[in-house]
Amino acid sequence: MNGTVFTFGGNASHADPRQKDKAVVGGKGANLAEMAGIGLPVPPGFTISTEECLRYLKDGAGFSETLRSDVAGALTHIETTVGKRFGDDADPLLVSVRSGAKISMPGMMDTVLNLGLNDATVDGLAATSGDARFAWDSYRRFIQMYGDVVLDVDHGLFEEALEIAKEDAGYFTDTEMTADDWRALVGEYKRIVREELGRDFPQDPHEQLWGAIRAVFDSWDSERAKVYRRLNAIPRDLGTAVNVQAMVFGNMGDDSATGVAFTRNPSTGERAYYGEWLVNAQGEDVVAGIRTPQYLTRAAREEAGAVPLSMEEAMPAAYGELARVFDLLEAHYRDMQDIEFTVQQGKLWMLQTRSGKRTAKAALKLAVDMVGEGLIDEKEAIRRVDPMALDQLLHPTLDPDAPRDVLTTGLPASPGAASGKIVLDADTAEQWAGRGEKVILVRVETSPEDIHGMHAAGGILTARGGMTSHAAVVARGMGRPCVSGASAISIRREQRTLTIGNRDLSEGDVITIDGATGQVMAGQVATIEPEMAGDFGILMEWADRHRRMQVRTNAETEADCRMARQFGAEGIGLCRTEHMFFDASRISAVRQMILADDERGRSAALAKLLPEQRADFAAIFAVMTGLPVTIRLLDPPLHEFLPHDEAEFADLAEATGRGVEHLKRRAAELHEFNPMLGHRGCRLGITFPEIYAMQARAIFEAACAVEGDAPVPEIMVPLVATRRELEILKALIDRTAEEVFSEAGRRVDYLVGTMIELPRAALMAGEIAAEAEFFSFGTNDLTQTTLGVSRDDAGRFLTAYVEQGIFARDPFVSLDIEGVGQLVELAAERGRAARKGLKLGICGEHGGDPASIAFCEKVGLDYVSASPYRVPIARLAAAQASLS
């Protein structure tokens, strides 16, 4: 073979190292080969590599003769191993066709089961199995799945036909359907296909196979897959592999079953088997939430008060074998495993294993526990936890003492709590969230097409499905609270109304869900702040031990400073003084200062602001005693502070004694066509030096007044493009410092530096470093000025740029390392060459982005600065960067 089709199971060799490379065969293909290689019961099959997917998408959806020949040879391997022939009417080989990318994307790409069935082979399957009901059930499942995935027939048409058939027969469940019922439904399904497509359902098994392979490759570029990749920063150029595997059947009677399980609890990290199973069913029934499944273990069933027997009780032999496999796989991969299995007539088969998606709480517990168990070491534990997942732990949860109006209780599918307005479809969730409303997406069950609405929603609630359903798995991966299988929910989609328990509600009504207990409550429930101890504290202690860079915070209020210190911030990397000017009690004085006709008028207004600014800095310094505090002098264009309506102009006229028309004329004079590149930043300090002098005085007076260890003010001059600008303003700051120190009878250490946020400043960093004692890279503006893109307007086109691969990620979320990063690297190199020991940091939004932090480590920056809630994320990401 040419190295793009790999067989596994049976007597296949698993020696080719490419067969264990997830970039080549995807995570599923690599793990199937690995499981087969260590002797686990894996149905034989083959994997078509991701390279073939990328070639297919690039070359226009065709298959080479070489690939067709290799697939034929791989099919022969399966036929030889199981003793059946593909397309044989008397004893047919049936296969499953599944996707499998390098990075797991649960539910985002396509799967087809029971492939190879047609009007002739269904009779052969009935004869060899001795069970006509099973054969016709499998055939209707195949038509339904193939019709939806490959032929693009609306799956709702098949669901509706099934519900009508059950209703006509007086049945409540699928299991009541007889062989004749399924045979009749197959006829109806084929009629639907003919009516929708104008052609018959394909009967040639080989045509079916290549149609399914094509559908899996195409699903890599489906809208839901694109959204998932964008949300999880997964590159488009990975592609997906295709796994073709001999079918094993969980729907062959009461001694057959299917299930999904985790070797530990993916919500809490508890060391207990966690999962669900269904008797006489196929895997999609569990994963897609079509039927609400049963508990895997007796303990879980008893805790939930459920009646149907657990697998441990109903199939003790198969469960015992499964438990042995759990332990073997976890020890082999040294991580919690997410496993799909089937029991066919009492025999256990393994269909998949992968490292399981987990909540942040579970990730922490797993990492800490596995170090304690000797499975992994401290460094591996640090690497194991996704820094962005910590965001789940840093926000409030429901107050256990708050009153709750419980409407119903479902399954606790993904922990956390959320309140919001009910929305009944994904598009509405996205629209309402886009206008700033908090929403809870309520569905009968979710499907991969709902991914955009699930991301927009604060929480997810479903009437059907279990704790391993699509909704649960995706919600856990996103950090969204989820309650599934809440069967007391009845949705009337047309009327946009629903009933939960005995309460009638409408879209737009507020509910609260608790993903830790499964409770669904009317209205909004009070919350409490998170607890930062336990496993979180242990992992953060390990991270601090292994990181080189410091982590500071972006904060300008006492409350934010205290929160950041609680989260482990080691100082302030950006205090934006303009935020202080917007306070209602001082905006009038700010406006008087801006609209004054001369320096005398400005100085009078600034005299009113000085005690306010001093008090601001005193409060911050009290929290940050002994730590560095980087304070950016006034940066935004002055027009941002001006009145906007008649009432505000009238109030200002009364305060200043000037006429409204005079003030409007003065405001018009300050108008700028492109204020982002206008009279702002250090340009304000050059033209109105009294503004920066007042701010410097406030900083030094507050620092001198601190009792005990003085903070270390780092005064940052923004938007510098030339050495001379900084030279003039540094002299002003130094003069002010000496005046204050003389008056106070006390000196404090301080630094004067600049924000590198213009390409010219980066290029001239060597010259600027002659005046600057530190550089802080303001990557928000540096990105804007380098790319020529306005951050405030970029939303109109950046999504398209990311989807089409122009940018790997939104450059305002994750640093453009190739372009903007090159300027940062160059400025750091030239700055340190000119001034030994020049302190370097980053203070844009990128300071809380793990990929950007890894780049900062590579360049050798001294610190990153992030918003308070992102400080723990930055601490962990900095440790991972150091270790790598």
Side-chain angles (χ1 to χ4, degrees), residues 846-860:
H846 301 103
D849 169 61
S852 305
I853 290 169
F855 170 76
C856 293
E857 173 68 27
K858 174 177 171 284
V859 174

Side-chain angles (χ1 to χ4, degrees), residues 275-421:
E276 297 167 321
W277 75 307
L278 279 170
V279 176
N280 199 17
Q282 289 198 326
E284 284 301 297
D285 296 346
V286 178
V287 175
I290 293 168
R291 286 165 55 187
T292 298
Q294 297 153 228
Y295 289 92
L296 192 71
T297 67
R298 176 179 177 177
R301 178 187 70 78
E302 289 177 347
E303 184 180 344
V307 175
L309 291 178
S310 66
M311 183 180 178
E312 184 179 7
E313 296 164 297
M315 292 186 173
Y319 174 83
E321 174 66 7
L322 183 64
R324 184 189 72 81
V325 170
F326 282 171
D327 295 343
L328 191 156
L329 286 175
E330 190 172 274
H332 182 79
Y333 287 104
R334 299 184 306 123
D335 196 6
M336 177 189 76
Q337 294 298 291
D338 170 1
I339 293 164
E340 291 180 24
F341 66 90
T342 286
V343 178
Q344 177 178 305
Q345 296 178 320
K347 178 172 174 54
L348 176 70
W349 292 95
M350 305 305 298
L351 305 183
Q352 172 171 288
T353 191
R354 60 188 173 193
S355 292
K357 297 285 182 186
R358 63 204 70 184
T359 65
K361 180 181 178 182
L364 289 174
K365 182 168 178 55
L366 287 166
V368 172
D369 284 359
M370 286 184 173
V371 171
E373 294 163 19
L375 272 179
I376 60 176
D377 62 18
E378 207 173 277
K379 293 180 180 179
E380 179 60 27
I382 292 168
R383 294 189 188 99
R384 185 74 57 89
V385 179
D386 176 9
M388 293 305 294
L390 296 180
D391 194 44
Q392 298 174 33
L393 300 176
L394 306 178
H395 297 282
T397 53
L398 289 187
D399 182 349
D401 298 324
R404 303 185 182 200
D405 180 5
V406 179
L407 301 174
T408 189
T409 300
L411 299 172
S414 180
S419 298
K421 292 182 176 180

Side-chain angles (χ1 to χ4, degrees), residues 508-545:
D509 289 342
V510 174
I511 59 171
T512 298
I513 63 169
D514 187 344
T517 64
Q519 287 185 335
V520 182
M521 294 146 277
Q524 188 160 344
V525 179
T527 58
I528 56 172
E529 289 301 314
E531 175 60 53
M532 295 292 103
D535 296 326
F536 179 92
I538 293 169
L539 190 76
M540 286 295 103
E541 186 181 317
W542 293 345
D544 292 342
R545 189 151 61 221

Side-chain angles (χ1 to χ4, degrees), residues 176-244:
E176 296 173 87
M177 298 279 281
T178 66
D180 288 338
D181 293 328
W182 288 131
R183 183 184 288 110
L185 190 62
V186 163
E188 177 61 15
Y189 278 8
K190 287 162 63 182
R191 185 197 66 75
I192 290 171
V193 170
R194 192 180 312 113
E195 187 173 288
E196 290 296 305
L197 302 180
R199 63 180 188 272
D200 288 333
F201 186 83
Q203 295 291 303
D204 178 359
H206 291 278
E207 179 188 345
Q208 294 172 358
L209 176 62
W210 287 103
I213 292 169
R214 176 175 279 107
V216 171
F217 282 164
D218 284 338
S219 71
W220 179 250
D221 267 349
S222 67
E223 195 56 38
R224 63 180 186 261
K226 288 178 183 176
V227 171
Y228 190 92
R229 287 202 298 272
R230 187 172 70 247
L231 297 178
N232 293 277
I234 298 172
R236 179 187 179 273
D237 60 5
L238 295 180
T240 181
V242 177
N243 298 287
V244 179

Side-chain angles (χ1 to χ4, degrees), residues 720-732:
V720 161
T722 70
R723 171 181 177 174
R724 181 61 178 152
E725 286 169 316
L726 187 57
E727 184 181 13
I728 292 169
L729 294 172
K730 184 174 187 296
L732 171 71

Side-chain angles (χ1 to χ4, degrees), residues 686-697:
I686 295 292
T687 53
F688 302 139
E690 56 274 14
I691 296 176
Y692 279 13
M694 180 279 288
Q695 290 195 292
R697 173 168 282 277

Side-chain angles (χ1 to χ4, degrees), residues 25-285:
V25 295
K28 186 174 293 183
N31 290 337
L32 284 168
E34 187 89 4
M35 285 196 295
I38 60 175
L40 294 183
V42 174
F46 62 88
T47 301
I48 304 172
S49 78
T50 59
E51 298 148 326
E52 292 289 355
C53 171
L54 295 172
R55 189 175 298 129
Y56 167 91
L57 295 174
K58 179 172 176 280
D59 295 346
F63 300 111
S64 68
E65 286 306 313
T66 303
L67 178 62
R68 288 182 180 274
S69 172
D70 289 346
V71 166
L75 260 178
T76 301
H77 159 72
I78 302 177
E79 292 173 330
T80 303
T81 304
V82 301
K84 295 176 184 287
R85 224 163 30 83
F86 191 58
D88 181 4
D89 290 351
D91 188 11
L93 167 69
L94 304 183
V95 297
S96 64
V97 180
R98 291 183 168 94
S99 63
K102 175 184 178 181
I103 300 170
S104 176
M105 296 169 58
M108 292 303 109
M109 290 175 296
D110 288 327
T111 294
V112 176
L113 306 180
N114 306 325
L115 191 143
L117 280 171
N118 58 28
D119 293 348
T121 56
V122 67
D123 289 327
L125 182 63
T128 55
S129 66
D131 188 344
R133 183 193 178 283
F134 150 72
W136 286 98
D137 177 29
S138 298
Y139 192 16
R140 71 90 191 174
R141 289 171 181 270
F142 171 55
I143 296 173
Q144 181 170 349
M145 194 174 287
Y146 196 92
D148 173 23
V149 168
V150 181
L151 304 179
D152 202 26
V153 177
D154 181 1
H155 73 278
L157 297 174
F158 299 119
E159 285 288 336
E160 185 179 7
L162 173 57
E163 291 304 317
I164 290 170
K166 288 195 294 189
E167 192 174 310
D168 289 348
Y171 302 151
F172 291 99
T173 65
D174 296 1
T175 53
E176 296 173 87
M177 298 279 281
T178 66
D180 288 338
D181 293 328
W182 288 131
R183 183 184 288 110
L185 190 62
V186 163
E188 177 61 15
Y189 278 8
K190 287 162 63 182
R191 185 197 66 75
I192 290 171
V193 170
R194 192 180 312 113
E195 187 173 288
E196 290 296 305
L197 302 180
R199 63 180 188 272
D200 288 333
F201 186 83
Q203 295 291 303
D204 178 359
H206 291 278
E207 179 188 345
Q208 294 172 358
L209 176 62
W210 287 103
I213 292 169
R214 176 175 279 107
V216 171
F217 282 164
D218 284 338
S219 71
W220 179 250
D221 267 349
S222 67
E223 195 56 38
R224 63 180 186 261
K226 288 178 183 176
V227 171
Y228 190 92
R229 287 202 298 272
R230 187 172 70 247
L231 297 178
N232 293 277
I234 298 172
R236 179 187 179 273
D237 60 5
L238 295 180
T240 181
V242 177
N243 298 287
V244 179
Q245 199 170 10
M247 279 295 301
V248 288
F249 298 96
N251 59 329
M252 289 191 76
D254 290 342
D255 61 351
S256 301
T258 189
V260 175
F262 294 79
T263 54
R264 305 193 189 203
N265 188 313
S267 290
T268 66
E270 178 190 1
R271 191 173 186 180
Y273 302 145
Y274 176 101
E276 297 167 321
W277 75 307
L278 279 170
V279 176
N280 199 17
Q282 289 198 326
E284 284 301 297
D285 296 346

